């Protein structure tokens, strides 16, 4: 069964800023990376091998069962 976080790019964590949309904080998976976007054009990425939500192997061609 597909995980909504690693298959559909749903935010794992999100805080909406009351001041300005560009200051929203989001954490999400894209490809084989975990992205932390803290707004105002600041972000960090970390390469990951498995989805932190369902455990699916994110490497292409790998077995996709947790």
């Amino acid at each position: 069964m597909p995980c909504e976080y690693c298959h559909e790019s749903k935010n794992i964590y999100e805080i909406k800023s009351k001041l300005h949309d560009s200051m929203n904080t989001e954490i999400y998976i894209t490809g084989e990376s975990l992205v932390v976007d803290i707004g105002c054009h600041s972000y960090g990425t970390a390469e990951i091998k498995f989805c932190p939500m369902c455990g699916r192997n994110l490497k292409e061609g790998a077995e996709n069962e947790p």
Side-chain angles (χ1 to χ4, degrees):
M1 180 172 181
C3 171
E4 61 189 333
Y5 299 98
C6 61
H7 285 281
E8 299 173 20
S9 299
K10 180 177 178 181
N11 287 345
I12 294 171
Y13 180 79
E14 182 174 14
I15 296 177
K16 297 263 187 199
S17 170
K18 293 180 181 179
L19 300 175
H20 198 276
D21 286 343
S22 69
M23 296 177 68
N24 293 343
T25 298
E26 301 174 343
I27 299 174
Y28 57 92
I29 300 168
T30 181
E32 297 174 13
S33 296
L34 183 68
V35 179
V36 179
D37 183 346
I38 56 175
C40 297
H41 307 291
S42 298
Y43 66 93
T45 62
E47 191 172 312
I48 56 177
K49 295 179 183 178
F50 299 92
C51 173
M53 304 305 280
C54 71
R56 182 177 74 88
N57 191 334
L58 299 174
K59 296 289 184 186
E60 287 186 40
E63 180 63 37
N64 287 331
E65 294 297 321

